[in-house]
């Protein structure tokens, strides 16, 4: 947690952004979420916007900022003696509020009364789109809005103001993100050093998770540790590593104060890459380096994405997998046979920062997203500004089902050499991911350097 002034300043800035808006801002903190029965919950994770403005990292809190009288009230109940017996002593609600510079608190049950009174006076109640079932039910109970209507009735002014503030990271946030990335790098180095033929993917996932937990935080997203890296979000850890395979590790730690790291490493199960693996790895690396070099304020991330796509396509043409006019191929989306997703995403308190508020507001400034396969999965397109933090994560993925589908459809036969492509069936996938801060003059990689080149990766695999 930061000093109380940080939270006070954030709320002042939020109020300033909403100076032409009246009514109440409703912040719902997260509740415990049961896994299989009420007292056996998933690890608690506070809502990031709640944490950002109100600072409390405990379940069952709500907050209201009154835009008209300038007050902020935190709603929660102090723990009963029964709860203290099971969970130990906790700071009081007033103490937790004070740490975030909030002086006004009220019992949880008062929230409904405050909101009902505001509704009866015709005052607007602004809320953010809920992403958990518990929050949807809470909003239904508090405001009478059915869950199916809540996303559409969420406050656009509130969403835009939150995005505008959270999107630029302060110096103290960067320190936290770098802590997370530093732990994340340790996770990757451990995974890269230990992997051997005969191990299970779960052996590596377990060691990687251990490092995140030992650093005092959690994982920032479920670990991807797989010999089937062609499945973009592969969370299965049941395969045994075999010689000749390539292993993709995409994992990140969350710092104790809830900032994310997100790196991807790809390495051979053997001590060295096969010539074919090295060729593909080098193409991904050249796309990565081209993208990183292009990062600077004023550049649109969509253009950086397209530069990476073009670089991948050139390399794939060199291997005989693509052909024809590459500008045309990339414009039409033919390269998405190999790179089906976006180049990167904002990162902060959430690994995909603020994705719950809508990619179109976070990554597109309200402009519509493309519907083209591949480009539609680009989460960030907007012009970069100093203080933005994002990942760069190009990849090449050989997805057998996609190869078969497009071939059967006769899709992009001017640009894809389907005969050659068959030779890569079973290859897997390669992704190289690092995290960057946009600076006034360019970009800086966050955290210590990660092994990047094929030689550097092999040096760890000895
Ligand atoms: N590292 C997981 C993701 O970016 O989606
Ligand atoms: Mn990522």
């Amino acid at each position: 947690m930061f000093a109380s002034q940080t939270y006070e300043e954030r709320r002042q800035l939020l109020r300033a952004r909403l100076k032409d808006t009246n009514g109440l801002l409703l912040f719902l903190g997260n509740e415990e979420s049961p896994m299989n029965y009420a007292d056996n919950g998933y690890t608690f994770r506070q809502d990031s916007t709640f944490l950002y403005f109100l600072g409390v990292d405990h379940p069952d809190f709500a907050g209201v900022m009154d835009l008209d009288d300038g007050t902020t009230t935190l709603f929660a109940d102090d723990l009963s003696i029964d709860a203290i017996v099971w969970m130990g002593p906790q700071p009081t609600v007033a103490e937790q509020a004070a740490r975030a510079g909030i002086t006004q608190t009220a019992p949880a049950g008062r929230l409904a009364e405050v909101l009902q009174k505001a509704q009866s006076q015709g005052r607007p109640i602004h809320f953010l789109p809920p992403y958990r079932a518990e929050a949807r039910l809470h909003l239904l109970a508090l405001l009478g809005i059915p869950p199916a209507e809540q996303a559409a009735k969420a406050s656009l002014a509130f969403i835009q103001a939150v995005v505008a503030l959270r999107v630029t990271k302060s110096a103290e946030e960067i320190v936290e993100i770098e802590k997370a990335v530093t732990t994340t790098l340790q996770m990757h180095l451990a995974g890269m050093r230990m992997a051997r033929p005969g191990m299970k993917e779960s052996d590596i996932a377990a060691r990687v998770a251990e490092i995140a937990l030992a650093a005092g935080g959690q994982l920032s997203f479920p670990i991807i540790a797989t010999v089937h890296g062609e499945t973009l979000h592969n969370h299965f850890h049941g395969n045994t590593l075999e010689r000749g395979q390539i292993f993709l590790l995409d994992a990140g730690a969350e710092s104790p104060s809830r900032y994310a790291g997100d790196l991807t490493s790809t390495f051979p199960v053997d001590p060295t890459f096969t010539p074919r693996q090295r060729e593909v790895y080098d193409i991904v690396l050249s796309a990565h380096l081209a993208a990183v070099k292009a990062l600077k304020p004023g550049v649109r991330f969509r253009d950086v994405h397209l530069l990476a796509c073009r670089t991948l396509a050139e390399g794939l043409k060199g291997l005989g997998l693509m052909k024809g006019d590459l500008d045309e191929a990339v414009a039409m989306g033919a390269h998405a046979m190999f790179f089906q997703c976006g180049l990167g995403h904002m990162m902060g308190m959430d690994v995909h920062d603020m994705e719950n508020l809508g990619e179109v507001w976070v990554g597109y400034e309200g402009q519509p997203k493309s519907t083209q396969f591949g480009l539609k999965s680009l989460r960030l397109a907007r012009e970069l500004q100093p203080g933005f933090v994002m990942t760069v994560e190009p990849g090449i993925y050989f997805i057998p089902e996609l190869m078969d589908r497009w071939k059967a459809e006769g899709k992009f036969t001017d640009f894809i050499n389907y005969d050659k492509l068959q030779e890569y069936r079973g290859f897997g996938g390669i992704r190289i991911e690092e995290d960057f801060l946009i600076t006034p003059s360019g970009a800086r990689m966050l955290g210590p350097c990660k092994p990047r080149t094929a030689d550097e990766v092999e040096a760890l695999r000895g």
Side-chain angles (χ1 to χ4, degrees), residues 221 224 233 250 262 264 345 351-352 379 391 393 431 433:
F221 58 93
I224 299 167
H233 280 177
D250 184 351
D262 181 10
T264 304
H345 50 85
V351 63
H352 293 177
R379 302 175 197 278
T391 66
E393 47 180 309
R431 171 159 70 248
E433 180 177 23

Side-chain angles (χ1 to χ4, degrees), residues 16-168:
R17 289 222 159 242
L18 292 168
K19 65 179 176 354
D20 298 326
T21 306
N22 68 329
L24 304 180
L25 301 182
L26 171 61
F27 296 83
L28 288 183
N30 279 339
E31 303 172 27
E32 296 279 12
S33 191
M35 210 157 51
N36 47 353
Y37 53 91
D39 282 346
N40 202 30
Y42 292 105
T43 303
F44 174 71
R45 176 58 161 81
Q46 182 57 289
D47 173 74
S48 298
T49 298
F50 193 91
L51 204 48
Y52 185 86
F53 290 103
L54 302 173
V56 178
D57 196 0
H58 283 271
D60 302 324
F61 276 70
V64 168
M65 282 176 65
D66 187 321
L67 294 173
D68 304 312
D69 70 12
T71 57
T72 300
T73 309
L74 214 47
F75 294 84
D77 295 325
D78 284 324
L79 291 192
S80 66
I81 189 64
D82 285 315
I84 289 170
V85 166
W86 288 96
M87 292 155 59
Q90 305 286 335
T92 63
V93 171
E95 284 165 348
Q96 301 210 58
R99 287 179 193 172
I102 299 168
T103 52
Q104 217 163 283
T105 66
R110 279 273 297 143
L111 178 61
E113 290 168 35
V114 167
L115 297 179
Q116 273 155 24
K117 183 169 169 207
Q119 273 182 325
S120 69
Q121 293 170 333
R123 301 180 68 202
I125 298 170
H126 303 270
F127 60 89
L128 299 172
Y131 54 91
R132 286 196 181 185
E134 292 87 351
R136 292 194 182 99
L137 292 174
H138 206 171
L139 278 179
L140 172 64
L142 289 169
L143 303 179
I145 304 174
E149 295 172 21
Q150 289 169 0
K153 291 193 173 158
S155 164
L156 192 51
F158 192 9
I159 291 170
Q160 287 175 317
V162 170
V163 169
L165 293 176
R166 281 183 56 191
V167 81
T168 307

Side-chain angles (χ1 to χ4, degrees), residues 318-440:
L319 294 184
L321 288 164
M322 289 192 74
K323 57 187 178 177
D325 182 319
L326 295 184
D327 286 334
E328 207 184 322
V330 170
M332 293 180 73
H335 65 284
M337 163 58 77
F338 307 93
F339 183 43
Q340 302 82 9
C341 56
L343 180 67
H345 50 85
M346 296 282 199
M347 191 181 82
M349 299 182 85
D350 310 302
V351 63
H352 293 177
D353 209 24
M354 298 177 278
E355 200 163 286
N356 60 310
L357 300 179
E359 273 175 4
V360 78
W361 302 114
V362 180
Y364 285 76
E365 294 180 287
Q367 299 302 308
K369 291 179 72 174
S370 169
T371 54
Q372 186 187 75
F373 181 77
L375 204 50
K376 73 178 178 187
S377 300
L378 178 64
R379 302 175 197 278
L380 172 61
R382 65 193 285 183
E383 207 174 270
L384 301 176
Q385 292 173 19
F388 283 13
V389 169
M390 83 269 322
T391 66
V392 173
E393 47 180 309
I396 292 181
Y397 310 98
F398 294 95
I399 302 175
E401 294 77 6
L402 188 62
M403 288 158 59
D404 293 343
R405 173 74 64 96
W406 280 21
K407 186 175 181 203
E409 289 173 356
K411 207 161 169 176
F412 296 131
T413 47
D414 289 346
F415 304 120
I416 296 171
N417 184 345
Y418 284 99
D419 289 339
K420 182 80 180 166
L421 189 52
Q422 291 311 315
E423 296 171 19
Y424 287 77
R425 195 175 268 277
F427 178 100
I430 292 181
R431 171 159 70 248
I432 300 173
E433 180 177 23
E434 295 170 339
D435 306 324
F436 292 88
L437 166 70
I438 301 300
T439 63

